[in-house]
């Protein structure tokens, strides 16, 4: 149900001249990637694959994509993803460079303090599978369906600016039982050098790659899988990147309240320490039906018994159901306003509209 506080804004979409250039721009990108493909036939097949993935085909399997590309059989599409020779990392780097060129506007004097952009968004996505041969497949939580089922899980990095957003990196999560099963690993072409890494560790690797590529960004945001990792939070602080990371209701922190320090889980803190006057109604982002309004409150987090004004606990309350709360740990420059923190958190929702089917997985998928 739409809350009466929501406002509906006119949605601005691409113009007809912009749409007419999409096909040409895709071909320009395709030409830019030519040096990373061993053979021209594979390079051309990559274009057919991208065009099919970006089409309105309801299911993006090998047969459907081949049919969209007017190919009689799916073998060409399957070979592109399983055996063809092309430099996936170099393609990733070129795509990231193109995204940076396209989405990074010049920062005007005084503007940096008014916007959180550019923002890196960490998130994961599950890909349901029927078989057991795809690399990393197994019973895991699948966000696509909201339950545990047989799937692959990819960790993704998205780049969000005021001009738009795009995926710039990816890592396949390989469960520990896969890493310990050498015959299964070899059958799926998983390199021997690969060792088990948690999702936050994979996220850290991608942030490091963005950093090494000198990608400009100011904030990092992510959901509870990553916010619950002290190591990832410490790494971002050491690098000087502001973050707003969701944490589960059981996360224990020490906050400064009006009556003193309180050490408890964040759900108990929200219940015990927040008063009616602490809540502020702010827009998290612009959705398809207007502003995404929530009530927000924050408390300073104490480190070694002292609140320095950089660590915060943010609590978000749903307007339709006041019992529906979300919790975030924030590390930001001193005097950062609550509204800017909320804008940074809102950037995460851009990744929900991604289309991951067009993105490669670093370990060859054998199907299943």
């Amino acid at each position: 149900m739409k809350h009466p506080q929501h406002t509906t804004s006119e949605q601005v979409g691409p113009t007809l001249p912009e749409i007419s250039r999409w096909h040409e721009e895709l071909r320009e990108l395709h030409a830019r990637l030519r040096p990373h493909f061993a053979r021209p036939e594979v390079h051309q097949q990559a274009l057919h694959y991208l065009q099919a993935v970006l089409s309105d085909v309801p299911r993006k399997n090998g047969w459907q994509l081949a049919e969209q590309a007017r190919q009689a059989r799916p073998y060409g599409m399957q070979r592109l993803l399983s055996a063809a020779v092309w430099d996936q990392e170099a393609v990733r780097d070129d795509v990231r460079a193109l995204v940076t060129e396209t989405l990074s506007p010049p920062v005007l004097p005084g503007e940096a303090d008014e916007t959180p952009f550019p923002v890196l968004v960490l998130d994961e996505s599950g890909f349901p599978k029927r078989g057991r041969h795809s690399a990393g497949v197994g019973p895991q939580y699948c966000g696509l369906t909201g339950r545990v089922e047989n799937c692959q899980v990819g960790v993704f990095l998205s780049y969000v600016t005021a001009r738009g957003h795009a995926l710039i990196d990816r890592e396949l999560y390989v469960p520990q039982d896969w890493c310990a099963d050498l015959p299964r690993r070899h059958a799926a072409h998983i390199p021997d050098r690969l060792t088990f890494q948690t999702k936050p560790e994979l996220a850290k690797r991608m942030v490091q790659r963005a950093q090494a590529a000198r990608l400009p960004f100011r904030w990092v945001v992510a959901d509870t899988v990553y916010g619950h990792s002290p190591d990832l939070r410490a790494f971002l602080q050491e690098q000087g990147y502001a973050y707003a990371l969701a944490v589960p209701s059981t996360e224990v922190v020490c906050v400064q309240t009006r009556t003193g320090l309180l050490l408890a889980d964040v759900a108990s803190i929200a219940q015990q320490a927040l008063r009616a006057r602490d809540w502020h109604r702010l827009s998290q982002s612009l959705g398809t039906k207007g502003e995404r309004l929530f009530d927000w409150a924050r408390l300073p987090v104490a480190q070694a018994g002292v609140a320095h004004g950089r660590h915060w606990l943010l609590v978000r309350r749903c307007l339709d159901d006041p019992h529906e709360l979300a919790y975030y740990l924030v590390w930001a420059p001193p005097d950062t306003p609550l509204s800017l923190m909320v804008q940074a958190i809102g950037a995460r929702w851009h990744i929900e509209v991604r289309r991951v089917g067009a993105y490669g997985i670093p370990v060859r998928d054998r199907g299943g």
Side-chain angles (χ1 to χ4, degrees):
M1 181 176 69
K2 187 167 100 172
H3 195 276
Q5 291 293 333
H6 284 181
T7 59
T8 303
S9 304
E10 181 181 356
Q11 300 300 298
V12 179
T15 64
L16 286 176
E18 289 173 336
I19 294 174
S20 66
R21 274 192 49 81
W22 285 353
H23 182 72
E24 179 182 347
E25 290 170 350
L26 178 60
R27 287 190 172 275
E28 290 173 359
L29 170 61
H30 177 248
R32 178 173 178 165
L33 301 178
R34 174 65 186 92
H36 310 314
F37 289 81
R39 299 174 58 214
E41 296 84 359
V42 177
H43 179 236
Q44 187 61 33
Q45 184 69 6
L47 178 61
H48 295 323
Y49 176 81
L50 287 173
Q51 290 171 329
V53 165
L54 295 173
S55 71
D56 57 359
V57 174
R59 294 189 63 194
K60 302 296 193 293
N61 57 35
W63 281 101
Q64 295 272 3
L65 296 180
E67 183 177 342
Q68 178 67 20
R70 299 184 179 181
Q71 297 175 1
R73 301 183 183 279
Y75 305 138
M77 296 292 183
Q78 293 170 348
R79 184 176 180 279
L80 174 69
L81 302 180
S82 63
V85 179
W86 53 286
D87 190 336
Q88 300 175 45
E89 283 66 35
V91 169
R92 174 203 62 208
D93 293 347
D94 258 7
V95 170
R96 181 181 58 220
L98 177 64
V99 168
T100 305
E101 296 167 12
T102 306
L103 298 185
S104 294
V107 177
L108 301 176
E111 188 181 70
D113 296 331
E114 300 175 0
T115 175
F117 302 117
V119 177
L120 289 184
V121 183
L122 293 161
D123 204 1
E124 62 187 77
S125 187
F127 307 89
K129 296 287 182 176
R130 294 182 180 178
R132 63 182 304 272
H133 302 295
S134 298
V137 74
Q140 305 173 79
Y141 177 77
C142 181
L144 187 65
T145 61
R147 61 177 182 267
V148 174
E149 61 177 278
N150 193 59
C151 66
Q152 290 175 299
V153 174
V155 180
F156 294 88
L157 186 65
S158 185
Y159 191 61
V160 182
T161 77
R163 287 184 172 180
H165 57 95
L167 289 169
I168 59 171
D169 208 344
R170 75 287 176 266
E171 286 284 352
L172 179 68
Y173 173 70
V174 182
Q176 201 158 12
D177 59 337
W178 265 88
C179 292
D181 190 339
L182 288 179
R184 195 180 187 194
R185 287 175 55 139
H186 292 160
H189 296 263
I190 297 177
D192 290 340
R193 65 180 181 276
L194 185 142
T195 59
F196 174 72
Q197 290 187 296
T198 66
K199 294 171 185 175
E201 287 171 339
L202 295 175
K204 177 181 174 181
R205 284 179 57 182
M206 292 192 292
V207 173
Q208 288 174 321
R209 284 200 290 260
Q211 184 182 23
R214 300 186 180 278
L215 184 74
F217 61 94
R218 302 184 63 223
W219 284 75
V220 178
V221 299
D223 67 10
T224 56
V225 173
Y226 310 93
H228 187 54
S229 170
D231 291 340
L232 180 60
R233 298 199 304 262
F235 163 74
L236 294 174
Q237 287 178 213
E238 290 168 2
Q239 302 305 311
Y241 299 128
Y243 64 72
L245 306 177
V247 293
S249 61
T250 54
E251 189 82 18
V252 175
V253 297
C254 182
V255 296
Q256 178 71 56
T257 73
R258 63 188 183 280
T259 58
L261 296 177
L262 173 60
L263 176 66
D265 61 81
V266 293
S268 299
I269 290 173
Q271 185 177 13
Q272 299 173 29
L274 294 176
R275 302 163 294 175
R277 70 181 70 174
D278 295 326
W279 295 95
H280 304 272
R281 188 155 297 175
L282 296 167
S283 172
Q284 176 176 282
S285 59
L286 182 64
T288 56
K289 297 182 180 180
E291 301 288 349
R292 299 175 56 86
L293 292 171
F294 294 91
D295 287 334
W296 299 83
R298 67 176 177 175
L299 289 167
V301 173
Q303 299 288 314
V306 179
H308 296 287
R310 299 202 67 170
H311 291 86
W312 296 87
L313 168 66
L314 260 64
V315 183
R316 187 189 71 186
R317 185 174 67 187
C318 182
L319 302 188
D320 296 330
D321 183 1
H323 299 291
E324 184 179 327
L325 303 177
Y327 311 93
Y328 303 86
L329 291 182
V330 174
W331 185 78
D335 302 320
T336 299
L338 173 62
S339 59
L340 191 63
M341 298 178 183
V342 170
Q343 287 180 54
I345 292 171
R348 178 178 171 266
W349 293 97
H350 290 286
I351 204 170
E352 300 296 333
V353 300
R354 66 183 176 237
R355 292 294 179 265
V356 296
Y359 228 68
I361 293 179
V363 175
R364 298 296 193 183
D365 186 350
R366 300 284 292 177

